[in-house]
Amino acid sequence: MIVPFAVLFLATGGGTPAFDRRSLFQASAGLGSFFGFDRSADAADSEQPKPPNNNPLRISQRSLGSSDVQVSSIALGTQRWVSTDYNAPDESACFQLLDAAYEAGVRTLDTAEQYPIPSGLGSPEGQTEVTIGNWMRSRSIDRKSMTIATKITGATNVSPKNIEKDLDGSLKRLQTDYVDCYLLHWPQRYQPQSNWGQSLQYNYAGEYRRQITFEELCVAMDKMIKKGKIRSWGLCNDSAYGLTKCCVTAKQMGLTPPSAFQGDFSLLDRKSCENGVLEAASPFNENVGFMAYNVLAGGMLTGKYMSDPNPLQKKQRGRMDMRGWGQTLYRYQSPPAKSAIIEYDRLAKQAGMSLGELSLTETLAWAAKADQQPLDRDLLWEIDRVHMKNRNPIFANDAVPKEWYGGGAIGEPIP
């Protein structure tokens, strides 16, 4: 069975602007990869340490924002590893993914204390971190050769006490003394990005979530850095305001500012380019590294769900079923999103490539090519033309029945 090789794009500060509009879709973008493996392979064989990598693919390293943390331009995401999805990779399969990534030169892993998603009996939250820790121990991986990012569960869970307590739990599961980047999984205050931007406006009533001030948050994170438990910190699923406020607050207090921002980004979801996040993160401003997830829009940008978006809905749990967390992916199945996918697929075929390759632009296989070439500028303009006709289509929904009355498809407030 083929399992997707999940990745992140890590754009960072430095002497050259990191967020040139076109560079996000060119060879330097590093937006993802697919890697196939056989789940039927002998598990015992997969548990044996691999020989040293003598010929890694050309996966570049770069600084994470203003920090001294070095990250791979391609990183390995882990959200659904050992989850309750029927086709989720078990620990043995995850070891194969990690082996392949490591041998290719990928040195950055992204996880969270809440992973796997979905979790359940036999697959509790935190088990993904356990899997990563077991792999590093079984392979005798030099900890200093790896960059590990993990996240504290957000909202009302975030407090100075819980930041250290939850971090200690992650360190124990990962079997390490420190993490390279510690992120808030989502804000401890309300803002629309908390439900992937589906809300129509800011909701003042949602501020009940705010448990600590920006000052207290910055002090708590800086304390973890001084204790040597983390090397840097950042935000996930936050806003341009949250990012800027944290940076300014930390700098004014003489504390370590955030150096990473993780957000949803793909051909169907360019809001970070347009809502101020990338302006704030720019090396000209706060100099924060941007980490993209869902770069294939929940798999929709492979094209495989276009004819039957929920083929497993009635039989088995799967990524695109409409129970539990699967409901959040409806944002990639709106009519405008599907219209854009059809046009992107047409452009890909005209350029002699797959929709997935067009959507990612840099993969492990692509990185091995000797004749790497960026996308043609005319093709980039055609991509922009499609985007302008279907601007941020994940926000659109033509099924808004009266009975919703203030609640959207996943329960988000629609005032």
Side-chain angles (χ1 to χ4, degrees):
M1 149 171 218
I2 301 300
V3 174
F5 183 71
V7 300
L8 300 170
F9 162 54
L10 296 152
T12 63
T16 303
F19 300 116
D20 176 81
R21 178 178 64 87
R22 294 191 180 277
S23 72
L24 289 170
F25 297 105
Q26 293 188 38
S28 60
L31 287 177
S33 173
F34 272 118
F35 179 81
F37 68 92
D38 186 354
R39 288 273 312 264
S40 65
D42 185 1
D45 178 68
S46 69
E47 294 170 0
Q48 297 303 312
K50 301 295 180 181
N53 176 28
N54 297 318
N55 186 28
L57 301 182
R58 290 168 290 183
I59 307 299
S60 62
Q61 299 284 313
R62 58 189 69 175
S63 297
L64 184 60
S66 58
S67 74
D68 61 357
V69 175
Q70 292 292 302
V71 294
S72 317
S73 57
I74 297 177
L76 187 57
T78 63
Q79 185 195 71
R80 292 184 178 245
W81 286 11
V82 296
S83 76
T84 58
D85 274 350
Y86 87 99
N87 59 348
D90 58 18
E91 183 169 284
S92 175
C94 292
F95 278 21
Q96 293 181 57
L97 287 170
L98 286 159
D99 289 340
Y102 190 84
E103 290 172 8
V106 174
R107 294 293 183 269
T108 302
L109 306 177
D110 176 75
T111 191
E113 69 171 349
Q114 193 182 13
Y115 294 172
I117 295 177
S119 59
L121 186 64
S123 299
E125 292 184 359
Q127 194 60 36
T128 304
E129 290 180 324
V130 171
T131 298
I132 292 171
N134 289 344
W135 172 77
M136 293 188 66
R137 185 188 71 249
S138 71
R139 298 325 194 228
S140 299
I141 299 295
D142 179 3
R143 175 64 182 89
K144 293 182 179 179
S145 73
M146 300 297 296
T147 302
I148 299 176
T150 193
K151 312 176 193 71
I152 179 175
T153 302
T156 55
N157 179 62
V158 180
S159 68
K161 177 181 178 181
N162 286 349
I163 285 173
E164 184 160 21
K165 176 178 69 68
D166 287 25
L167 173 59
D168 285 344
S170 290
L171 294 176
K172 182 178 180 180
R173 290 186 292 272
L174 289 165
Q175 303 176 52
T176 183
D177 296 327
Y178 68 95
V179 295
D180 299 280
C181 186
Y182 197 47
L183 302 110
L184 272 66
H185 211 155
W186 58 86
Q188 48 81 31
R189 64 185 197 287
Y190 170 83
Q191 60 91 24
Q193 177 61 20
S194 296
N195 50 59
W196 299 279
Q198 297 301 315
S199 299
L200 297 182
Q201 65 187 44
Y202 174 74
N203 183 358
Y204 294 95
E207 284 297 348
Y208 73 88
R209 279 187 174 181
R210 193 185 296 264
Q211 300 294 302
I212 62 174
T213 65
F214 285 102
E215 290 79 8
E216 290 170 327
L217 173 62
C218 292
V219 167
M221 288 298 193
D222 189 72
K223 182 180 178 181
M224 295 303 98
I225 291 176
K226 287 184 169 62
K227 285 189 173 185
K229 294 185 178 184
I230 65 175
R231 296 178 60 204
S232 64
W233 69 284
L235 309 168
C236 179
N237 295 326
D238 209 315
S239 65
Y241 168 74
L243 173 59
T244 303
K245 184 70 172 179
C246 282
C247 289
V248 171
T249 299
K251 291 173 183 177
Q252 288 178 341
M253 297 179 70
L255 305 172
T256 306
S259 60
F261 185 99
Q262 186 172 136
D264 212 341
F265 183 87
S266 69
L267 281 179
L268 294 180
D269 184 1
R270 294 203 211 176
K271 62 179 176 293
S272 292
C273 299
E274 303 179 7
N275 66 4
V277 166
L278 292 192
E279 177 188 6
S282 165
F284 291 114
N285 296 314
E286 303 304 336
N287 194 13
V288 172
F290 184 78
M291 309 166 68
Y293 70 85
N294 253 343
V295 293
L296 283 174
M300 292 296 290
L301 285 171
T302 65
K304 65 183 179 182
Y305 294 116
M306 289 297 288
S307 59
D308 186 0
N310 298 301
L312 307 173
Q313 180 174 331
K314 298 179 181 179
K315 297 180 180 179
Q316 297 171 302
R317 293 304 311 277
R319 182 176 181 85
M320 297 298 283
D321 72 13
M322 296 308 288
R323 294 189 293 156
W325 282 90
Q327 296 183 65
T328 66
L329 297 180
Y330 85 90
R331 63 192 187 274
Y332 299 129
Q333 299 182 42
S334 71
K338 291 180 179 179
S339 175
I341 291 170
I342 290 170
E343 293 203 51
Y344 288 136
D345 186 51
R346 175 180 56 81
L347 291 176
K349 286 183 170 63
Q350 290 176 352
M353 65 181 73
S354 68
L355 174 61
E357 185 177 355
L358 178 75
S359 302
L360 296 175
T361 74
E362 183 177 347
T363 68
L364 286 180
W366 184 91
K369 294 180 180 179
D371 58 343
Q372 301 171 3
Q373 295 294 327
L375 296 180
D376 180 81
R377 290 185 64 84
D378 289 339
L379 175 56
L380 289 169
W381 173 235
E382 291 304 312
I383 290 172
D384 280 348
R385 289 183 64 213
V386 174
H387 174 66
M388 291 172 73
K389 289 187 290 184
N390 303 275
R391 205 158 188 168
N392 287 341
I394 67 165
F395 297 135
N397 194 328
D398 65 351
V400 187
K402 288 184 178 180
E403 57 267 25
W404 277 9
Y405 202 76
I410 58 173
E412 71 278 11
I414 299 182

